[in-house]
């Protein structure tokens, strides 16, 4: 078919304003994974949370978000992306208000889980709306440059906003702030966004939902529990075993289901699979950096919450420049892997610089150059990953494809937090045990041990970043749009 549709970029003069709305919603979802990190000590004190339970403020969100993404993506395909986008925004705002008004830890945990559930509907809808709105290769590069910048920098922006709100208002505003953002996005979506109708005749793959979402929840929960309990804890091992078994059964079922939750051709495509893997590996390293640098700046260097948040600002700016000014301009002319591979090498280089930090490191001369390299590297990588992974997908599969990209990001974050934190704490304990010979110097040795643990874990993160670059180089072989690659061509909806 060649008729012009409301969702096609050539027919919609307000599409760039629509991009602003999509980007605003995506930013809200991504930064909410980290915005409460800096506020956590205040919330813990106010609501009387134990040290063991406080992790649930983070885990409840990531668990619901990561576990339900495939379901959210398929719902978007079935009932329409614009409708699920608006539902996700309204639900996210309501859950945020509930969390901000929490009077007990249980109420806050429940609100965070609700936020995660609605984020799982919102995130794939946002990315698939972007995919179906911008089909022209040149415009698509610009749009995905902006989207990639926000997806990559959203976590860092969360630290900045979280620090400002916690220091000058209180921790509850880290949740309340979502309400006005969501209200603006809802009105903007209703006025500006267009969408093809959903597929009313299609049915939801219920066994696929139970197997796929159950497996993801078990895996994400397993990694979140590995951090406090240890990797050999019976609960952790059981969760991993159950998760792997459920996901294995899920793949078997998807090959046989009449209307699969995740059509296997989506992940069998070499380029798309390479993008999913690259994203997951890159985020493992990135989340490890955020975790360590937050503690390093606040605990070791003694920064305030606001100063800690602002310390991440150069990273955010570098991601935006790498994504919108470099990747978006070059993707039409070079193959995606020519951006992704150097991007991961740059990010790994930034990590290597951070392995040299000590308890007396200077931010300007030692930390800042590393953050700038990391930011440029992630900006170069994330934009072509999002664009290539969602290019050329049939409209009826755009939601679930978008959900799979988000799932690799979410699962990568869970793995990164648990894996690198375990490496850091183990290395710290070994160092402190070996060097604590004079009780009078205990505080100094403990601080040195903590930083030593961080540097060991950051070496691992650098290696994982390089592995992401290798995966991108070997698997993502698609050519640039201007060289005749069909992947970025608009895919018309088939006629019934």
């Amino acid at each position: 078919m060649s008729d012009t549709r409301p969702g096609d970029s050539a027919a919609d003069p307000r599409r760039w304003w629509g991009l602003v709305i999509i980007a605003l919603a995506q930013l809200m979802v991504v930064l909410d994974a980290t915005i409460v990190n800096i506020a956590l000590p205040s919330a813990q004190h106010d609501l009387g949370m134990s040290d063991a339970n406080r992790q649930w403020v983070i885990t409840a969100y990531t668990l619901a978000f990561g576990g339900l993404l495939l379901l959210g993506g398929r719902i978007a395909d079935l009932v329409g992306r614009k409708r699920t986008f608006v539902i996700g925004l309204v639900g996210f705002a309501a859950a945020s208000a509930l969390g901000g008004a929490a009077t007990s830890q249980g109420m806050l945990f429940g609100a965070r889980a609700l936020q995660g559930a609605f984020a799982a509907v919102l995130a794939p809808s946002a990315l698939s709306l972007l995919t179906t709105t911008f089909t022209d290769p040149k415009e698509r590069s610009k749009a995905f440059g902006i989207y990639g910048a926000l997806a990559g920098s959203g976590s860092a922006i969360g630290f900045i906003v979280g620090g400002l709100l916690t220091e000058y208002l209180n921790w509850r505003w880290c949740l309340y702030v979502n309400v006005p953002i969501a209200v603006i996005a809802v009105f903007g979506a209703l006025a500006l966004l267009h969408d093809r109708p959903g597929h009313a005749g299609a049915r939801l793959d219920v066994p696929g939902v139970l197997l796929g979402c159950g497996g993801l929840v078990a895996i994400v929960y397993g990694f979140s529990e590995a951090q406090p309990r240890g990797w050999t804890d019976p609960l952790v091992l059981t969760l991993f075993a159950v998760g792997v078994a459920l996901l294995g059964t899920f793949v078997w079922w998807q090959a046989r289901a009449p209307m699969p939750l995740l059509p296997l051709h989506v992940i069998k495509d070499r380029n798309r699979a390479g993008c999913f893997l690259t994203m997951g590996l890159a985020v493992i390293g990135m989340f490890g950096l955020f975790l360590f640098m937050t503690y390093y700046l606040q605990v070791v260097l003694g920064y305030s919450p606001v100063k800690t948040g602002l310390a991440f600002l150069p990273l955010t700016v570098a991601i935006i420049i790498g994504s919108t000014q470099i990747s978006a301009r070059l993707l039409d002319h070079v193959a995606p892997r020519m951006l992704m591979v150097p991007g991961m090498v740059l990010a790994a280089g930034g990590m290597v610089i951070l392995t040299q930090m000590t308890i007396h490191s200077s931010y300007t001369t030692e930390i800042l150059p590393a953050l700038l390299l990391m930011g440029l590297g992630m900006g170069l990588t994330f934009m072509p990953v999002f664009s290539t992974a969602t290019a050329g997908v049939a409209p009826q599969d755009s939601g679930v494809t978008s959900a799979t990209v988000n799932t690799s990001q979410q699962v990568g974050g869970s793995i990164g937090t648990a894996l690198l934190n375990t490496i850091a704490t183990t290395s710290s304990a070994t160092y402190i045990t070996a060097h604590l010979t004079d009780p009078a110097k205990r505080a100094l040795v403990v601080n040195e041990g903590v930083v030593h643990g961080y540097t060991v874990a950051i070496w691992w993160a650098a290696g994982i970043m390089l592995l992401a670059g290798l995966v991108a180089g070997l698997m993502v072989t698609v050519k640039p749009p201007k060289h005749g690659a069909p992947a970025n061509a608009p895919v018309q909806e088939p006629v019934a």
Side-chain angles (χ1 to χ4, degrees):
M1 284 183 69
S2 60
D3 62 316
T4 305
R5 296 178 180 273
D8 291 342
S9 58
D12 186 3
R14 298 180 299 175
R15 60 196 176 281
W16 292 106
W17 284 108
L19 171 62
V20 172
I21 299 303
I22 292 168
L24 197 62
Q26 177 64 18
L27 177 63
M28 185 175 67
V29 167
V30 176
L31 68 79
D32 237 70
T34 56
I35 193 171
V36 296
N37 280 32
I38 291 176
L40 196 52
S42 306
Q44 182 180 358
H45 180 264
D46 277 6
L47 300 179
M49 284 180 241
S50 67
D51 286 348
N53 282 344
R54 70 182 175 188
Q55 62 139 337
W56 279 102
V57 177
I58 310 296
T59 305
Y61 181 80
T62 55
L63 197 58
F65 189 14
L68 298 175
L69 268 165
L70 284 180
L71 174 60
R74 188 43 100 193
I75 288 173
D77 288 332
L78 296 181
V79 305
R81 267 80 66 178
K82 179 176 174 178
R83 186 180 300 173
T84 50
F85 184 76
V86 172
I87 291 168
L89 283 169
V90 172
F92 197 89
S96 299
L98 182 67
T103 54
S104 67
Q105 58 178 351
M107 187 173 170
L108 180 59
F109 299 158
R112 289 288 286 168
L114 265 180
Q115 274 187 307
F118 282 108
V121 173
L122 184 56
S125 303
L127 184 52
S128 55
L129 277 168
L130 189 68
T131 302
T132 54
T133 299
F134 292 92
T135 52
D136 175 72
K138 189 171 271 189
E139 289 196 343
R140 184 181 172 86
S141 295
K142 291 179 184 175
F144 273 88
I146 294 167
Y147 185 90
L150 291 173
S153 63
S155 299
I157 294 170
F159 288 121
I160 298 167
V161 176
L164 290 167
L165 292 173
T166 302
E167 191 150 322
Y168 294 114
L169 294 170
N170 64 46
W171 67 268
R172 296 180 185 276
W173 281 96
C174 290
L175 294 161
Y176 284 143
V177 71
N178 293 319
V179 178
I181 296 173
V183 169
I184 293 167
V186 166
F187 284 112
L190 293 173
L192 298 168
L193 296 180
H194 301 287
D195 186 27
R196 298 176 177 91
H199 296 260
R203 294 194 310 275
L204 195 62
D205 173 21
V206 177
V209 169
L210 295 175
L211 290 167
C213 294
L216 285 171
V217 166
I219 294 287
V220 174
Y221 187 25
F223 278 112
S224 67
E225 287 296 309
Q227 191 177 335
R229 292 173 179 268
W231 293 92
T232 55
D233 183 84
L235 174 63
V236 173
L237 294 175
T238 302
L239 285 167
F240 285 149
V242 169
V244 169
L246 286 174
L247 290 178
T249 311
F250 170 74
V251 172
W252 172 84
W253 169 249
Q254 293 307 282
R256 291 156 180 78
M259 293 181 181
L261 178 69
L262 174 61
L264 292 184
H265 65 80
V266 169
I267 53 175
K268 280 182 178 176
D269 178 87
R270 175 178 177 154
N271 293 295
R272 203 166 285 128
C275 287
F276 296 152
L277 272 174
T278 302
M279 172 62 81
L281 290 167
V283 172
I284 288 175
M286 188 176 79
F287 264 66
L289 171 84
F290 289 148
L291 178 73
F292 301 137
M293 291 312 297
T294 303
Y295 277 94
Y296 176 75
L297 293 170
Q298 287 196 80
V299 177
V300 179
L301 297 187
Y303 283 19
S304 68
V306 168
K307 195 175 179 183
T308 300
L310 292 175
F312 283 103
L313 190 57
L315 174 76
T316 305
V317 172
I319 291 173
I320 292 170
I321 291 170
S323 194
T324 62
Q325 300 305 309
I326 303 176
S327 278
R329 293 174 185 271
L330 293 179
L331 189 60
D332 288 339
H333 308 284
V334 302
R337 64 177 171 181
M338 298 304 290
L339 295 168
M340 293 157 68
V341 174
M344 286 292 91
V345 172
L346 272 179
M351 288 284 195
V352 171
I353 292 173
L354 285 179
T355 61
Q356 307 306 307
M357 67 187 185
T358 67
I359 58 172
H360 302 298
S361 287
S362 160
Y363 175 82
T364 309
T365 58
E366 296 170 72
I367 309 300
L368 180 59
L371 294 180
L372 291 173
L373 280 178
M374 280 284 299
L376 282 173
M378 289 191 288
L380 281 173
T381 304
F382 280 10
M383 181 266 161
V385 164
F386 282 119
S387 181
T388 307
T390 56
V393 178
Q396 64 268 25
D397 291 332
S398 67
V400 76
T401 304
S402 303
T404 311
V405 182
N406 278 285
T407 299
S408 62
Q409 195 175 1
Q410 205 54 39
V411 173
S414 299
I415 295 171
T417 302
L419 174 65
L420 296 176
N421 192 63
T422 304
I423 292 169
T425 51
T426 305
S427 302
S428 292
T430 305
Y431 181 95
I432 292 166
T433 302
H435 291 79
L436 191 57
T437 53
D438 183 357
K441 294 182 178 178
R442 178 177 176 79
L444 177 65
V445 172
V446 167
N447 264 353
E448 287 177 344
V450 167
V451 174
H452 172 76
Y454 292 166
T455 58
V456 171
I458 290 170
W459 271 116
W460 279 84
I464 293 168
M465 289 281 193
L466 289 176
L467 180 59
L470 182 64
V471 167
L474 294 176
M475 293 186 68
V476 184
T477 56
V478 67
K479 294 177 182 177
K482 285 193 174 178
H483 287 71
N488 280 337
V491 180
Q492 298 293 348
E493 195 161 357
V495 182

CSV table of all heavy atoms in Angstrom, one decimal, residues 296-297 299-303 354 356-367 443-445 447-449 451-452 455:
chain,number,residue,atom,x,y,z
A,296,TYR,N,30.5,6.9,46.3
A,296,TYR,CA,31.8,7.5,46.3
A,296,TYR,C,31.8,9.0,46.6
A,296,TYR,O,32.5,9.5,47.5
A,296,TYR,CB,32.6,7.2,45.0
A,296,TYR,CG,33.9,7.8,44.9
A,296,TYR,CD1,35.0,7.3,45.7
A,296,TYR,CD2,34.2,9.0,44.2
A,296,TYR,CE1,36.3,7.9,45.6
A,296,TYR,CE2,35.4,9.5,44.1
A,296,TYR,CZ,36.5,9.0,44.8
A,296,TYR,OH,37.7,9.6,44.8
A,297,LEU,N,30.9,9.7,45.8
A,297,LEU,CA,30.9,11.1,45.9
A,297,LEU,C,30.3,11.6,47.3
A,297,LEU,O,30.8,12.5,47.9
A,297,LEU,CB,30.0,11.7,44.8
A,297,LEU,CG,30.6,11.6,43.4
A,297,LEU,CD1,29.6,12.0,42.3
A,297,LEU,CD2,31.9,12.5,43.3
A,299,VAL,N,29.8,9.5,50.2
A,299,VAL,CA,30.3,8.9,51.5
A,299,VAL,C,31.8,9.2,51.6
A,299,VAL,O,32.3,9.6,52.6
A,299,VAL,CB,30.1,7.4,51.5
A,299,VAL,CG1,30.7,6.7,52.7
A,299,VAL,CG2,28.6,7.1,51.5
A,300,VAL,N,32.6,9.0,50.4
A,300,VAL,CA,34.0,9.1,50.5
A,300,VAL,C,34.5,10.6,50.4
A,300,VAL,O,35.3,11.1,51.2
A,300,VAL,CB,34.7,8.3,49.4
A,300,VAL,CG1,36.2,8.4,49.5
A,300,VAL,CG2,34.4,6.8,49.6
A,301,LEU,N,33.9,11.3,49.4
A,301,LEU,CA,34.3,12.7,49.2
A,301,LEU,C,33.4,13.7,50.0
A,301,LEU,O,33.8,14.9,50.1
A,301,LEU,CB,34.3,13.1,47.7
A,301,LEU,CG,35.2,12.3,46.8
A,301,LEU,CD1,35.2,12.9,45.4
A,301,LEU,CD2,36.7,12.3,47.3
A,302,GLY,N,32.3,13.2,50.6
A,302,GLY,CA,31.5,14.0,51.5
A,302,GLY,C,30.6,15.0,50.7
A,302,GLY,O,30.3,16.1,51.3
A,303,TYR,N,30.2,14.8,49.5
A,303,TYR,CA,29.4,15.7,48.8
A,303,TYR,C,27.9,15.7,49.3
A,303,TYR,O,27.5,14.7,49.8
A,303,TYR,CB,29.3,15.3,47.3
A,303,TYR,CG,30.5,15.7,46.5
A,303,TYR,CD1,31.7,15.9,47.0
A,303,TYR,CD2,30.4,15.7,45.1
A,303,TYR,CE1,32.8,16.3,46.3
A,303,TYR,CE2,31.5,16.1,44.3
A,303,TYR,CZ,32.7,16.3,44.9
A,303,TYR,OH,33.8,16.6,44.1
A,354,LEU,N,38.5,5.7,35.7
A,354,LEU,CA,37.9,5.6,37.1
A,354,LEU,C,38.5,4.6,37.9
A,354,LEU,O,38.5,4.6,39.2
A,354,LEU,CB,36.4,5.4,37.0
A,354,LEU,CG,35.5,6.6,36.6
A,354,LEU,CD1,34.1,6.2,36.5
A,354,LEU,CD2,35.7,7.8,37.5
A,356,GLN,N,41.5,4.3,38.5
A,356,GLN,CA,42.6,4.9,39.2
A,356,GLN,C,42.2,5.8,40.4
A,356,GLN,O,43.1,6.4,41.1
A,356,GLN,CB,43.4,5.8,38.2
A,356,GLN,CG,43.8,5.0,36.9
A,356,GLN,CD,44.6,3.8,37.2
A,356,GLN,OE1,45.6,3.8,37.9
A,356,GLN,NE2,44.1,2.6,36.6
A,357,MET,N,40.9,5.9,40.7
A,357,MET,CA,40.5,6.8,41.8
A,357,MET,C,40.9,6.3,43.1
A,357,MET,O,41.0,5.1,43.4
A,357,MET,CB,39.0,7.1,41.7
A,357,MET,CG,38.1,5.9,42.0
A,357,MET,SD,36.4,6.4,41.7
A,357,MET,CE,35.5,4.9,42.3
A,358,THR,N,41.2,7.3,44.0
A,358,THR,CA,41.5,7.0,45.4
A,358,THR,C,40.6,7.8,46.3
A,358,THR,O,39.7,8.5,45.9
A,358,THR,CB,43.0,7.4,45.7
A,358,THR,OG1,43.1,8.8,45.6
A,358,THR,CG2,43.9,6.8,44.7
A,359,ILE,N,40.9,7.7,47.6
A,359,ILE,CA,40.0,8.4,48.6
A,359,ILE,C,40.3,9.9,48.5
A,359,ILE,O,39.5,10.7,49.1
A,359,ILE,CB,40.2,7.9,50.0
A,359,ILE,CG1,41.7,8.1,50.5
A,359,ILE,CG2,39.7,6.5,50.2
A,359,ILE,CD1,41.9,7.8,52.0
A,360,HIS,N,41.3,10.3,47.8
A,360,HIS,CA,41.7,11.8,47.7
A,360,HIS,C,41.6,12.3,46.2
A,360,HIS,O,42.1,13.3,45.9
A,360,HIS,CB,43.1,12.0,48.2
A,360,HIS,CG,43.3,11.6,49.6
A,360,HIS,ND1,42.6,12.2,50.7
A,360,HIS,CD2,44.1,10.7,50.1
A,360,HIS,CE1,43.0,11.6,51.8
A,360,HIS,NE2,43.9,10.7,51.5
A,361,SER,N,40.9,11.6,45.4
A,361,SER,CA,40.8,11.9,44.0
A,361,SER,C,40.2,13.3,43.8
A,361,SER,O,39.2,13.7,44.5
A,361,SER,CB,40.1,10.9,43.1
A,361,SER,OG,40.8,9.7,43.0
A,362,SER,N,40.7,14.0,42.8
A,362,SER,CA,40.1,15.3,42.4
A,362,SER,C,39.0,15.1,41.4
A,362,SER,O,39.2,14.4,40.4
A,362,SER,CB,41.2,16.2,41.8
A,362,SER,OG,40.7,17.3,41.1
A,363,TYR,N,37.9,15.8,41.6
A,363,TYR,CA,36.8,15.6,40.7
A,363,TYR,C,37.2,16.2,39.3
A,363,TYR,O,37.0,15.5,38.3
A,363,TYR,CB,35.5,16.4,41.2
A,363,TYR,CG,34.4,16.4,40.2
A,363,TYR,CD1,33.5,15.3,40.1
A,363,TYR,CD2,34.2,17.5,39.4
A,363,TYR,CE1,32.5,15.2,39.2
A,363,TYR,CE2,33.1,17.4,38.4
A,363,TYR,CZ,32.3,16.3,38.4
A,363,TYR,OH,31.3,16.3,37.4
A,364,THR,N,37.8,17.4,39.3
A,364,THR,CA,38.0,18.1,38.0
A,364,THR,C,39.0,17.3,37.1
A,364,THR,O,38.8,17.2,35.9
A,364,THR,CB,38.6,19.5,38.3
A,364,THR,OG1,37.7,20.1,39.2
A,364,THR,CG2,38.7,20.3,37.0
A,365,THR,N,40.1,16.8,37.7
A,365,THR,CA,41.2,16.2,36.9
A,365,THR,C,41.1,14.7,36.7
A,365,THR,O,41.6,14.1,35.8
A,365,THR,CB,42.5,16.5,37.5
A,365,THR,OG1,42.6,16.0,38.9
A,365,THR,CG2,42.8,18.0,37.5
A,366,GLU,N,40.3,14.0,37.6
A,366,GLU,CA,40.3,12.5,37.6
A,366,GLU,C,38.9,12.0,37.3
A,366,GLU,O,38.7,11.0,36.6
A,366,GLU,CB,40.8,12.0,38.9
A,366,GLU,CG,42.3,12.3,39.1
A,366,GLU,CD,42.8,11.9,40.5
A,366,GLU,OE1,42.9,10.7,40.8
A,366,GLU,OE2,43.0,12.8,41.3
A,367,ILE,N,37.8,12.6,37.9
A,367,ILE,CA,36.5,12.0,37.7
A,367,ILE,C,35.8,12.6,36.5
A,367,ILE,O,35.2,11.9,35.7
A,367,ILE,CB,35.6,12.3,39.0
A,367,ILE,CG1,36.3,11.9,40.3
A,367,ILE,CG2,34.2,11.7,38.8
A,367,ILE,CD1,36.6,10.4,40.3
A,443,ALA,N,39.3,3.6,60.3
A,443,ALA,CA,38.5,4.4,59.4
A,443,ALA,C,39.1,4.6,58.0
A,443,ALA,O,38.5,4.5,57.0
A,443,ALA,CB,38.1,5.8,60.0
A,444,LEU,N,40.4,4.9,58.1
A,444,LEU,CA,41.2,5.1,56.8
A,444,LEU,C,41.2,3.9,56.0
A,444,LEU,O,41.0,3.9,54.8
A,444,LEU,CB,42.6,5.6,57.2
A,444,LEU,CG,43.5,5.8,56.0
A,444,LEU,CD1,43.1,6.9,55.1
A,444,LEU,CD2,45.0,6.0,56.4
A,445,VAL,N,41.5,2.7,56.6
A,445,VAL,CA,41.6,1.5,55.9
A,445,VAL,C,40.2,1.1,55.3
A,445,VAL,O,40.2,0.6,54.2
A,445,VAL,CB,42.1,0.4,56.8
A,445,VAL,CG1,42.1,-1.0,56.2
A,445,VAL,CG2,43.6,0.6,57.2
A,447,ASN,N,37.8,3.1,54.4
A,447,ASN,CA,37.5,4.0,53.2
A,447,ASN,C,38.4,3.5,52.0
A,447,ASN,O,37.9,3.4,50.9
A,447,ASN,CB,37.9,5.4,53.6
A,447,ASN,CG,36.6,6.2,54.0
A,447,ASN,OD1,35.5,5.7,53.9
A,447,ASN,ND2,36.8,7.4,54.4
A,448,GLU,N,39.6,3.2,52.3
A,448,GLU,CA,40.5,2.7,51.2
A,448,GLU,C,40.0,1.4,50.6
A,448,GLU,O,40.0,1.2,49.4
A,448,GLU,CB,41.9,2.6,51.7
A,448,GLU,CG,42.7,3.9,51.9
A,448,GLU,CD,44.1,3.7,52.5
A,448,GLU,OE1,44.3,2.6,53.0
A,448,GLU,OE2,44.9,4.7,52.5
A,449,GLY,N,39.5,0.5,51.5
A,449,GLY,CA,39.0,-0.7,51.1
A,449,GLY,C,37.7,-0.6,50.3
A,449,GLY,O,37.5,-1.3,49.3
A,451,VAL,N,36.9,2.0,48.4
A,451,VAL,CA,37.3,2.5,47.1
A,451,VAL,C,38.0,1.4,46.2
A,451,VAL,O,37.8,1.3,45.0
A,451,VAL,CB,38.2,3.8,47.2
A,451,VAL,CG1,38.7,4.2,45.8
A,451,VAL,CG2,37.4,4.9,47.9
A,452,HIS,N,38.8,0.6,46.9
A,452,HIS,CA,39.4,-0.5,46.2
A,452,HIS,C,38.4,-1.4,45.6
A,452,HIS,O,38.5,-1.9,44.4
A,452,HIS,CB,40.3,-1.3,47.2
A,452,HIS,CG,40.9,-2.6,46.6
A,452,HIS,ND1,41.9,-2.6,45.7
A,452,HIS,CD2,40.5,-3.9,46.8
A,452,HIS,CE1,42.1,-3.9,45.3
A,452,HIS,NE2,41.3,-4.6,46.0
A,455,THR,N,36.9,0.1,42.5
A,455,THR,CA,37.8,0.1,41.3
A,455,THR,C,37.9,-1.3,40.7
A,455,THR,O,37.9,-1.5,39.5
A,455,THR,CB,39.3,0.6,41.7
A,455,THR,OG1,39.8,-0.2,42.7
A,455,THR,CG2,39.2,2.0,42.1
